[in-house]
Amino acid sequence: TNNLALSMTIRPALFISAVMLASATACTSTSDDDAGGSGAGGGKADDPNGSELRFLDQGWSDEDRAWMYRTSEGSRIVPTQWLAALRDQRGTRFTSTLSQYGFIPDPASDPSGLGLPVGFATDGGWTGVTCTACHSSQLKVGSVAVRIDGGTMQADFGRFQLGLLREMKATFDDPRRFGDFAREVLGDNLEEFAEDELSADVRVWLEEMEFRLSFANGAPVPGPGRVDGVGQATNETLCI
């Protein structure tokens, strides 16, 4: 459990690199061409919601975009196996609700197979966010969705964190839900005391997350598109 607590911190060097990268990404200039122009990075694709998806010409290739979306920068929010197994009281997977917090669906670019939105990355058994979770926008114009890499996010990051905490705590407090959760996380490794060890790890995660959020979200809660990338990340780092 000590290793679990330590893994939840953001390593300072990676944090500083992430902030610098975020600033550089946000300052990327857009082309005067229409969305989906012929330059590098412009083009069309299918949006998960059925719309035609176009990308502004930001000078990125598809490979550049996928790398930015999915390469970990050191963020450790929740163990990936836990995130994959977490469900609400109706049995709906938490991962399928992330667009409700304003994150941009993009399952095709997610190598984890979980269908995570833009800016969610998995690394070393953990899932966290990259700069692009907060520096990507998508606008709907008629039947066309326009992706703006480097734009201002529309997601409510604080509400997402609180929602994740709420569902994990509700699962932890309900023996039936936690039993289902443990069976999915542990699979064939459901040996004697394994569920007790998982329960102890979840308890540590809940305590750490509640403590971090008591500093990070503050008052008033930021709301959609208003996450303080420096203040929140710094607070989360220094409060550990």
Side-chain angles (χ1 to χ4, degrees):
T1 55
N2 287 336
N3 289 336
L4 177 67
L6 288 173
S7 295
M8 293 180 68
T9 63
I10 300 177
R11 289 165 285 182
L14 285 172
F15 163 68
I16 294 171
S17 298
V19 171
M20 293 176 66
L21 187 57
S23 300
T25 305
C27 293
T28 301
S29 61
T30 61
S31 168
D32 291 333
D33 295 337
D34 292 337
S38 60
K44 300 179 182 180
D46 292 325
D47 178 65
N49 295 321
S51 302
E52 177 187 331
L53 176 61
R54 298 191 183 188
F55 298 92
L56 289 187
D57 181 1
Q58 304 286 61
W60 282 12
S61 66
D62 291 340
E63 291 75 17
D64 292 335
R65 181 178 296 108
W67 185 85
M68 281 295 299
Y69 286 176
R70 305 301 180 181
T71 301
S72 173
E73 296 165 5
S75 171
R76 302 287 187 269
I77 294 177
V78 61
T80 301
Q81 285 186 312
W82 298 9
L83 181 62
L86 186 62
R87 299 172 183 263
D88 65 18
Q89 61 182 357
R90 296 169 297 180
T92 302
R93 291 191 182 276
F94 185 78
T95 51
S96 71
T97 69
L98 294 177
S99 62
Q100 297 177 15
Y101 297 99
F103 295 107
I104 302 171
D106 197 26
S109 72
D110 179 20
S112 75
L114 297 179
L116 298 175
V118 168
F120 280 69
T122 56
D123 176 44
W126 285 79
T127 296
V129 293
T130 75
C131 293
T132 56
C134 298
H135 290 274
S136 302
S137 295
Q138 187 160 299
L139 305 177
K140 187 77 175 293
V141 183
S143 62
V144 177
V146 181
R147 179 78 52 81
I148 307 170
D149 295 310
T152 302
M153 78 167 185
Q154 298 141 341
D156 191 332
F157 192 72
R159 192 165 67 90
F160 154 69
Q161 290 177 303
L162 293 171
L164 176 62
L165 176 63
R166 180 185 65 249
E167 292 300 339
M168 191 69 77
K169 190 174 189 306
T171 298
F172 181 76
D173 290 339
D174 184 330
R176 181 191 61 79
R177 285 178 64 178
F178 189 79
D180 293 341
F181 173 80
R183 280 187 289 274
E184 188 161 351
V185 169
L186 297 172
D188 295 334
N189 297 320
L190 193 59
E191 302 173 354
E192 187 177 9
F193 304 123
E195 188 170 331
D196 290 340
E197 292 176 0
L198 176 61
S199 177
D201 283 344
V202 172
R203 183 186 297 277
V204 169
W205 183 90
L206 288 169
E207 292 172 350
E208 292 283 356
M209 182 62 81
E210 288 176 340
F211 185 59
R212 291 166 67 188
L213 294 188
S214 70
F215 284 80
N217 280 331
V221 175
R226 295 189 51 150
V227 64
D228 181 354
V230 175
Q232 187 180 64
T234 301
N235 284 340
E236 289 194 27
T237 302
L238 297 180
C239 79
I240 299 299

